[in-house]
Amino acid sequence: MTLVLALVMLALVLPWAAAAATRRLAVLLPPREACAALTGSAVLLAGGTVAALVGLFHVPFLASLEQVSLPRVAAEWPAAVPVAAAAGAVLSLQTVLVVRRWFEHRSLLVRAWASTGDAVPDGDLLVVPGPDPQAFALPGRRGRSGRVVVTTGMLRALGPAEREVLLGHERAHLAGRHHLLSVTAYLAAAVHPALRTLRPALDFHLERWADEAAAASVGNRRLAATAIARAALVGASAEQAGKGRGPLLSVSTGPVPQRVKALLQPVPVRPRARSTQAAVAGLVTAVAVAALLGLVLAYGLHEYVEFAAEAVRGR
């Protein structure tokens, strides 16, 4: 069955190539656009994979609806039943992984909010007493709006201007609702192992997005680079000491040297060359078409089963 083979290839092989291409695309884009491309690709590829698996899983059931017995299905299409069973097993595993990841994420939020119990509020800032230098953006939960969490140890490690950069960085995470993009990629990665490679790339570009916002807020890219480097360095020292940086996006996330280097360069702009724009548009379109192809093939497979069942009954 050609459609079955096409769906198998779509579900197993295509996401590897598409994920690699998306990561290359993200390098060419400013941080905001890179985050949109990475998150959108993760969702589209996960949806296309699930659609392909659902199409494979339904083949025997469609045949039974067409009044073709399961033994007859196995005789006419030997691969249909094993492939459907494998697709069902994969779908079950995906469901378990997605649900488990979602509850892990919620548990991290609960623990993060619990760690701020003795914090001193100051507007959108929660200052937690303690020597460990940590800072992260804490999304809202149960009616509480998001907060920037920073320890007194981190505040003491930075100068006044550097603190402004740090707070601008974490506020950019909250304003951009970056946690939603990050958790979306985290859940999508449970659908296909190829999509796991998109999460580190997305976290890096989310940090770059926040870095650029912080640099714009203080109007000094060199100051922003210095502050990011210092905050990440002291935060990494706490992490190496076993204290951890918190469960959420933090200033020390991702390859810091690359982020600092980018801040020492001019503000990133949108690609202008026609060839680059054509490549970007072509790749985004290709990813979208690849995801939609899963739906089209799944529908086509259903139509094929109905047609074949008619032929089997006519013998």
Side-chain angles (χ1 to χ4, degrees), residues 173-251:
H173 280 318
L174 292 177
R177 303 183 70 82
H178 293 174
H179 65 284
L180 295 180
L181 303 181
S182 183
V183 73
T184 297
Y186 180 59
L187 295 176
V191 174
H192 196 290
L195 304 184
R196 297 174 187 171
T197 62
L198 296 180
R199 174 76 186 281
L202 175 61
D203 284 349
F204 168 70
H205 288 287
L206 287 173
E207 294 302 326
R208 284 281 299 116
W209 184 351
D211 290 344
E212 292 295 334
S217 67
V218 299
N220 189 328
R221 296 182 66 80
R222 184 169 293 276
L223 170 63
T226 302
I228 294 299
R230 187 185 300 275
L233 181 62
V234 297
S237 66
E239 187 173 355
Q240 291 174 356
K243 303 298 183 182
R245 63 163 177 79
L248 304 167
L249 289 170
S250 164
V251 71

Side-chain angles (χ1 to χ4, degrees), residues 86-142:
V90 173
L91 286 170
S92 300
L93 177 61
Q94 289 173 342
T95 302
V96 170
L97 291 177
V98 169
V99 171
R100 187 176 71 178
R101 288 190 174 207
W102 172 252
F103 279 105
E104 286 176 353
H105 171 70
R106 302 307 298 175
S107 177
L108 288 175
L109 283 182
V110 171
R111 294 201 301 270
W113 273 105
S115 69
T116 65
D118 56 350
V120 178
D122 183 10
D124 65 346
L125 182 65
L126 293 177
V127 180
V128 180
D132 303 328
Q134 296 185 35
F136 55 91
L138 182 58
R141 180 175 178 271
R142 291 185 177 179

